[in-house]
């Protein structure tokens, strides 16, 4: 890992990378249901993970490989934003009226992605083919911020749509109702943080310190990831286990702590770095016979006659000032010198500062001290040309990124190829910023012939003994400082990686034995109790809160078991008592019925005989009275028969056989012929009756009750509408022709219908719904219910006021029965 140099920012990005990767893997595990929303979110986090990884490489690599990561950053981010915006319009669900907004966001984000990808390719080609470095234009930061802003706006729109209340949108945003609306609003904050980071990226154009930028990104992204993890786990299909919740929370807190530790501990250590840079010192570079240079330390000599001030700027081509001066350099003669505000001298060509981060040097350059200086903030760059020499002075120039640091140094070029570098005012001790661009700190001093030599691996000590070289003679302070800091930060990096792996692998195991396993055991006991097993006792594994809860559960289960056992014993005793009393009641009912019916039969017979005598004698009043006596006697006899049937059904066993339902219905019609005639009812029968299983006499009793009720309650006398009664049958929908299903038989009348309250009272013994119209005893439907249930079927009614009623009963059918 010698090409990696850890810094506080790199530690923060490393923690974010691990957390983002963990979330991505967690989401990917839930992709088996192919939920579009989850797929888009997983793709976004995969892109975000790659982006954070590139940010880590940005601050951890040396200048050239760093560019390879930097160039891809915004393209990867743009790709992630494509998925984010589509996820935004599908969380918590896709709303049709947001369709065009979602399409517009897709077009805009894809256009932005295409633009970033195109510029990325151009930069890579320029770097790798022409070794020319181009910085990203400022307009890209604005475009990036606008696309980032779209995400929280989309979630705002989704919040309003998810709240069904007919209220103003601002009220919904302030106090959303419902889990979905609250979840969408929480993402406004999560992804609003990313927009704020986009604004901070814009501020970098205006010299926002890179250290502040990296710190803001480190903290902001970590907070966004933490808030996302807390909010979204509630919306994962299938839910999230306690183990996963605790693991995510612990890992997040662990990484947040270590990410902060890097900034805290590194700051005092950075202050201890002392570059090998001496003030009031003169280095002389003398050409040697090999075509290279020999470096020696000579007596300090600073020319106080500075000459003319040069008009240079700290950025772009304006940083160079051309001077015509003949100067041999590394065995080749040049006639033009370009002096730059950043402490460099281009020999024969303008000095282009960004190219210093390319892989190799292609420009002959002298580096008195390469650092970004600001001529507009004070001091100046001066040149004094004499016949045999050129004096260049950077006088009291503040550093561009550290204005409090003031630099004064001088370079004298002689026509014989010798040149001197003198320092006469350095802000020692220098404070290095590890996360700024390399030239924000003193970077290089020395000379390079521009013959494609690497500048990022040289660590020459120009203050030491005699230096001789045919190639570059460069002292690289930036590399020396990064190695110095890396040696200190590296243990923390291993703690981050090792601790994260330990937490991801070891914490679930620890939590499993200490929390999850006891909870699973307790949950198994709860499920066992839910299934009806009250004799459950869960083993207490730990003497902690879960152990206390388990003990309380065991006590509750024991008490509940005792209560249920006692209740069952009481119910069994009461059942035995009730069975005995029922038998006594049945015997009593049969005895009473027999004792009542025995004298009742001759009474009816005598009344009928006397009625005939009164008719013969013309005694009309006596005739009517005797007929009423006979009719009342027959009704009493019928009531006694129904009571005996109702009581006897409890002991009687049915003999199932295929029923000739058409014949049974015909017998019932014949039995009720006089009633049908008196009511002037129209009877409509189905042509074909399905074959069902049952006991003929009982089924006949059911039809008698249903049809007599229909005759009593059918029609509407007040509207002069006569009863119209339809009898039929049909198989239940779930019955299959190849299996024994159930058949529904029914009677439909055209009566006034029943209210829901009246329907609830049906089939209850001794209940009459319309005492004003019909005087009855309320036993018929209760007998029907008991008969049908004994036959394995059910009874019911369907009715609406003014639409008549349909009374039905079901019986088991015969396989392969004809239901047509």
């Amino acid at each position: 890992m010698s090409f990696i140099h850890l810094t506080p920012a790199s530690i923060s990005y490393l923690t974010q990378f691990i957390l983002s990767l963990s979330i991505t893997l967690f989401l990917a595990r839930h992709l088996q249901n192919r939920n579009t929303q989850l797929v888009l979110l997983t793709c976004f986090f995969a892109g975000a993970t790659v982006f954070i990884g590139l940010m880590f490489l940005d601050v951890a690599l040396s200048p050239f490989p760093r560019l390879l990561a930097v160039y891809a950053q915004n393209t990867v981010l743009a790709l992630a934003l494509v998925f984010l915006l589509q996820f935004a319009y599908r969380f918590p669900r896709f709303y049709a009226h947001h369709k065009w907004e979602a399409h517009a966001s897709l077009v805009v984000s894809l256009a932005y992605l295409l633009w970033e990808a195109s510029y990325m390719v151009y930069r890579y080609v320029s770097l790798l083919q022409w070794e020319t470095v181009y910085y990203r234009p400022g307009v890209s930061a604005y475009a990036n911020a606008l696309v980032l802003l779209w995400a929280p706006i989309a979630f705002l729109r989704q919040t309003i749509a998810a709240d069904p209340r007919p209220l103003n949108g601002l009220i919904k945003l302030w106090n959303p109702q419902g889990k979905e609306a609250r979840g969408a609003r929480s993402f406004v904050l999560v992804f609003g943080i990313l927009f704020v980071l986009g604004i901070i990226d814009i501020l970098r154009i205006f010299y926002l310190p890179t250290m502040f930028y990296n710190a803001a990104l480190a903290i902001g992204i970590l907070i966004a990831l933490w808030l996302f993890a807390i909010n979204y786990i509630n919306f994962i299909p299938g839910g999230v286990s306690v183990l996963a919740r605790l693991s995510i929370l612990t890992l997040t807190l662990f990484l947040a702590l270590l990410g902060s530790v890097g900034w805290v501990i590194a700051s005092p250590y950075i202050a201890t770095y002392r570059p090998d840079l001496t003030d009031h010192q003169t280095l002389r570079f003398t050409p040697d016979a090999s075509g290279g240079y020999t470096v020696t330390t000579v007596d300090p000599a600073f020319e106080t006659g500075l000459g003319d001030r040069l008009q240079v700027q700290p950025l772009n081509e304006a940083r160079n000032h051309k001077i015509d001066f003949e100067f041999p350099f590394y065995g080749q003669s040049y006639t033009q010198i370009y002096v730059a505000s950043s402490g460099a001298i281009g020999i024969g060509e303008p000095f282009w500062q960004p190219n210093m981060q390319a892989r190799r040097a292609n420009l002959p350059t002298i580096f008195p001290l390469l650092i970004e200086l600001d001529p507009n903030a004070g001091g100046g760059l001066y040149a004094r040309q004499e016949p045999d020499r050129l004096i260049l002075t950077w006088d009291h120039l503040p550093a561009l990124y550290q204005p409090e640091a003031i630099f004064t140094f001088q370079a004298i070029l002689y026509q014989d190829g010798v040149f001197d570098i003198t320092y006469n005012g350095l802000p020692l001790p220098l404070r290095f910023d590890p996360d700024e661009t390399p030239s924000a700190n003193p970077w290089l001093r020395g000379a390079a012939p521009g013959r494609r030599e690497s500048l990022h691996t040289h660590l020459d000590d120009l203050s030491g003994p005699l230096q001789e070289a045919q190639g570059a003679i460069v002292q690289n302070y930036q590399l020396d400082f990064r190695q110095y800091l890396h040696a200190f930060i590296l243990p923390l990096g291993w703690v981050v990686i090792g601790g994260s792996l330990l937490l991801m692998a070891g914490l679930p195991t620890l939590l499993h034995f200490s929390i999850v396993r006891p909870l699973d055991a307790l949950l198994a006991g709860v499920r066992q109790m839910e299934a009806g097993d009250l004799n459950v006792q869960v083993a207490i594994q730990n003497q902690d809160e879960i152990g206390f809860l388990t003990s309380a559960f065991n006590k509750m289960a024991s008490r509940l078991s005792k209560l249920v056992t006692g209740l069952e014993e009481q119910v069994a005793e009461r059942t035995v008592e009730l069975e005995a009393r029922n038998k006594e009641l049945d015997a009593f009912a049969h005895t009473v019925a027999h004792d009542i019916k025995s004298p009742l039969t001759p009474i009816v017979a005598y009344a009928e005989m006397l009625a005939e005598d009164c008719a013969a004698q013309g005694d009309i009043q006596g005739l009517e009275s005797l007929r009423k006596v006979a009719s009342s006697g027959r009704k009493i006899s019928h009531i006694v028969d129904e009571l005996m049937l109702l009581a006897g059904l409890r002991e009687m066993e049915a003999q199932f056989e295929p029923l000739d339902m058409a014949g049974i219905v015909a017998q019932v019609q014949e039995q009720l012929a006089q009633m049908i005639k008196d009511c002037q009812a129209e009877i409509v029968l189905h042509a074909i009756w399905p074959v069902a299983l049952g006991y003929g006499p009982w089924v006949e009793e059911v039809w008698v009750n249903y049809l007599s009720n229909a005759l009593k309650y059918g029609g509407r006398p007040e509207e002069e509408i006569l009863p119209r009664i339809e009898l039929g049958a049909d198989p239940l929908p779930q019955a299959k022709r190849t299996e024994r299903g159930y058949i529904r038989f029914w009677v439909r009348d055209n009566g006034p219908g029943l209210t829901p309250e009246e329907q609830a009272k049906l089939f209850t013994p001794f209940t009459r719904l319309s005492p004003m119209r019909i005087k009855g005893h309320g036993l018929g439907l209760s007998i029907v219910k008991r008969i049908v249930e004994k036959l394995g079927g059910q009874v019911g009614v369907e009715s609406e006021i003014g639409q008549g009623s349909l009374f039905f009963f079901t019986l088991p059918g015969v396989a392969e029965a004809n239901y047509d």
Side-chain angles (χ1 to χ4, degrees):
M1 292 179 60
S2 60
F3 59 93
I4 293 285
H5 300 104
L6 296 180
T7 66
S10 66
I11 293 295
S12 293
Y13 288 130
L14 179 60
T15 61
Q16 295 170 26
F17 175 80
I18 294 173
L19 182 57
S20 183
L21 178 62
S22 301
I23 293 176
T24 303
L25 296 177
F26 174 78
L27 295 175
R29 290 180 58 190
H30 292 78
L31 287 178
Q32 61 271 15
N33 57 6
R34 297 184 180 180
N35 180 284
T36 301
Q37 179 191 109
L38 194 57
V39 170
L40 291 171
L41 187 62
T42 305
C43 291
F44 163 72
F45 265 97
T49 302
V50 175
F51 172 75
I52 296 172
L54 293 173
M55 293 292 292
F56 167 78
L57 297 177
D58 179 3
V59 297
L61 292 176
S62 57
F64 172 71
R66 165 187 171 272
L67 291 180
L68 300 179
V70 169
Y71 284 2
Q73 283 178 2
N74 288 280
T75 301
V76 172
L77 178 60
L79 178 61
L81 291 178
V82 173
F83 294 110
L84 173 61
L85 289 178
Q86 294 312 300
F87 166 76
Y89 282 105
R90 286 168 175 79
F91 182 87
R93 65 183 66 185
F94 184 79
Y95 296 99
H97 57 283
H98 288 171
K99 176 181 178 181
W100 293 111
E101 288 184 35
H103 288 170
S105 70
L106 180 61
V107 171
V108 171
S109 57
L110 286 176
Y112 174 62
L113 170 63
L114 181 61
W115 188 89
E116 288 285 3
S118 301
Y119 191 63
M120 176 190 70
V121 172
Y122 172 72
R123 295 173 80 188
Y124 274 128
V125 171
S126 300
L127 177 65
L128 300 177
Q129 184 173 348
W130 305 317
E131 296 193 2
T132 301
V133 178
Y134 289 107
Y135 291 152
R136 188 161 169 261
V139 66
S140 300
Y142 291 99
N144 182 37
L146 288 176
V147 178
L148 286 171
L149 177 61
W150 201 318
I153 290 177
F155 283 114
L156 284 174
R157 298 277 292 150
Q158 293 292 97
T159 302
I160 296 173
D163 190 336
R165 297 176 299 169
L167 299 174
N168 182 275
L170 293 177
I171 298 177
K172 292 183 178 182
L173 293 175
W174 179 258
N175 185 27
Q177 295 296 313
K179 180 180 178 181
E180 293 183 344
R182 290 193 297 271
R185 191 187 66 170
S186 67
F187 283 158
V188 174
L189 175 60
V190 172
F191 295 102
I193 293 175
L194 300 185
F195 168 67
V196 174
L197 298 180
I199 296 298
I200 293 176
D201 187 37
I202 294 176
L203 295 178
R204 291 184 70 189
I205 302 173
F206 305 99
Y207 301 108
L208 179 73
T210 303
M211 181 177 180
F212 177 82
Y213 169 77
N214 284 320
L217 252 62
I219 297 173
I221 294 177
L222 197 61
I223 292 175
L225 291 174
W226 180 71
L227 290 175
F228 169 82
I230 288 178
N231 285 283
Y232 190 71
I233 55 177
N234 296 320
F235 295 90
I236 290 290
V240 178
S241 66
V242 174
L243 178 61
R245 290 173 184 266
L246 290 176
S247 298
I248 291 174
L249 180 60
T250 304
L251 180 62
T252 303
L253 293 176
F254 171 76
L255 293 175
L257 177 63
L258 291 186
S260 304
V261 165
W263 297 95
V264 174
I265 66 174
S267 182
Y269 185 77
I270 289 172
T272 65
Y273 175 68
R274 296 291 182 266
D276 185 15
L277 189 61
T278 304
D279 201 8
H280 306 294
Q281 179 189 56
T282 298
L283 299 177
R284 175 160 291 174
F285 290 72
T286 305
D288 57 25
S290 66
Y293 277 90
T294 299
V295 183
T296 57
T297 302
V298 299
D299 293 336
F302 185 81
E303 293 288 339
T304 57
L306 303 182
D308 299 326
R309 179 168 181 166
L310 306 181
Q311 300 301 317
V312 292
Q313 298 296 323
L315 297 175
N316 302 324
E317 292 84 352
R319 73 176 74 225
N320 288 281
H321 184 85
K322 184 178 72 171
I323 300 175
D324 294 325
F325 181 75
E326 291 187 6
F327 182 69
F329 188 64
Y330 277 99
Q332 186 173 348
S333 181
Y334 298 90
T335 59
Q336 293 178 333
I337 300 297
Y338 291 84
V339 56
S341 62
S342 53
I345 303 171
I347 309 299
E349 297 179 31
F351 177 74
W352 177 241
Q353 162 68 20
N355 283 353
M356 292 303 300
Q357 299 186 59
R359 180 183 300 174
R360 303 184 186 279
N362 295 297
L363 173 67
T365 313
I366 297 174
F367 303 104
L369 187 61
L370 181 59
I371 180 174
E372 294 282 4
L373 301 172
D374 188 2
N376 297 325
L381 176 57
Y382 296 87
R384 193 180 90 197
Q385 189 170 357
E386 297 178 354
D388 61 344
R389 65 177 184 170
L390 175 63
I391 303 171
L392 304 172
T393 306
W394 290 260
D395 182 57
H396 292 85
L397 286 172
L400 182 64
Y401 295 91
Q402 299 183 54
E404 69 280 1
I406 308 299
F407 291 82
T408 299
F409 51 89
Q410 189 175 78
I412 302 177
L413 280 61
Y414 298 90
Q415 283 190 334
D416 60 359
V418 176
F419 63 91
D420 294 338
I421 300 174
T422 301
Y423 304 99
N424 193 46
L426 298 179
L428 300 178
L430 294 170
R431 169 116 185 152
F432 278 65
D433 188 338
D435 297 310
E436 280 286 3
T437 184
S439 56
N441 307 303
W443 184 1
L444 300 172
R445 72 170 177 175
R451 298 168 185 167
R452 298 181 60 78
E453 59 272 0
S454 174
L455 301 179
H456 309 304
T457 57
H458 281 270
L459 278 173
D460 300 324
D461 183 4
L462 302 186
S463 298
L466 178 69
Q467 300 285 327
E468 296 183 4
Q470 296 180 6
I473 305 175
V474 175
Q475 189 164 9
N476 192 326
Y477 295 112
Q478 193 258 1
L479 180 59
D480 184 57
F481 168 69
R482 294 292 294 272
Q483 291 181 352
Y484 177 81
L485 180 60
H486 174 75
F488 177 75
I489 295 290
L490 182 60
L492 180 60
W494 286 121
V495 170
V496 171
I497 296 174
S500 299
L501 293 176
L502 182 63
L503 283 177
M504 287 187 285
L507 182 63
T509 302
L510 178 63
L511 292 176
H512 174 76
F513 286 101
S514 61
I515 296 179
V516 176
R517 191 169 67 173
L519 282 178
D520 285 343
L522 182 57
L523 182 60
V526 172
R527 289 173 177 166
Q528 189 175 347
M529 179 181 289
E530 186 180 26
D533 184 4
L534 300 180
N535 297 318
V536 56
Q537 289 291 304
V538 180
I540 300 176
Q541 302 183 22
N542 299 308
Q543 298 298 325
D544 53 13
E545 290 83 354
I546 299 178
F548 175 78
L549 184 62
T550 304
S551 175
F553 172 80
N554 290 336
K555 292 178 181 178
M556 180 189 69
S558 177
R559 291 175 183 174
L560 186 60
S561 178
K562 291 179 180 179
L563 289 174
V564 171
T565 301
L567 183 60
E568 289 176 346
E569 292 175 354
Q570 292 181 13
V571 169
E573 294 175 359
R574 295 291 177 87
T575 300
V576 172
E577 294 178 1
L578 287 174
E579 288 178 352
R581 292 185 181 182
N582 285 335
K583 290 180 180 179
E584 293 177 2
L585 287 174
D586 289 344
F588 176 75
H590 280 88
T591 301
V592 172
H594 182 270
D595 291 346
I596 292 176
K597 198 167 183 179
S598 294
L600 193 60
T601 301
I603 290 175
V604 173
Y606 288 141
E608 290 176 346
M609 291 174 57
L610 292 174
E612 291 176 0
D613 292 340
C614 290
Q617 297 175 8
D619 185 356
I620 303 302
Q621 184 175 0
L623 176 63
E624 290 298 325
S625 298
L626 290 172
R627 283 180 176 176
K628 289 180 179 180
V629 171
S631 176
S632 298
R634 283 191 294 271
K635 287 183 179 179
I636 294 173
S637 178
H638 181 65
I639 292 172
V640 171
D641 290 339
E642 287 187 337
L643 284 171
M644 292 180 68
L645 177 60
L646 185 63
L649 283 172
R650 186 166 36 247
E651 300 295 334
M652 296 173 63
E653 293 295 334
Q655 298 177 357
F656 286 87
E657 59 184 3
L659 299 175
D660 177 13
M661 197 61 71
I664 293 175
V665 171
Q667 293 177 11
V668 171
Q669 283 184 277
E670 183 178 349
Q671 183 178 343
L672 299 177
Q674 185 61 44
M675 189 176 184
I676 295 172
K677 180 179 179 181
D678 293 341
C679 294
Q680 302 180 38
E682 177 187 359
I683 307 297
V684 179
L685 303 176
H686 274 202
I688 299 177
W689 294 87
V691 180
L693 294 176
Y695 182 51
W698 288 4
V699 174
E700 181 177 339
E701 183 69 22
V702 172
W703 279 114
V704 168
N705 273 282
Y706 272 1
L707 183 55
S708 60
N709 275 345
L711 291 170
K712 295 175 184 177
Y713 294 97
R716 302 179 191 177
E718 67 279 1
E719 301 177 22
E720 298 183 355
I721 297 177
L722 297 176
R724 185 182 187 277
I725 302 170
E726 185 178 359
L727 285 70
D730 49 54
L732 293 180
Q734 65 268 28
K736 298 181 181 179
R737 294 179 180 273
T738 58
E739 297 178 1
R740 176 175 295 176
Y742 276 79
I743 303 169
R744 187 178 75 157
F745 298 93
W746 45 266
V747 176
R748 179 184 290 116
D749 63 51
N750 61 341
L754 300 170
T755 66
E757 292 77 13
E758 291 174 329
Q759 294 178 42
K761 297 178 181 179
L762 293 172
F763 305 104
T764 303
F766 308 106
T767 300
R768 290 181 287 114
L769 301 182
S770 184
M772 297 299 295
R773 285 185 55 194
I774 302 296
K775 294 182 179 180
H777 43 77
L779 285 175
L781 292 181
S782 62
I783 293 175
V784 167
K785 184 174 185 293
R786 187 165 294 184
I787 287 175
V788 173
E789 288 179 350
K790 287 283 277 187
L791 295 175
Q794 294 180 340
V795 296
V797 62
E798 298 173 0
S799 182
E800 293 183 15
I801 295 298
Q803 302 297 321
S805 302
L806 182 146
F807 286 80
F808 66 86
F809 65 95
T810 63
L811 292 175
V814 178
E816 303 293 347
N818 182 10
Y819 296 148
D820 297 329

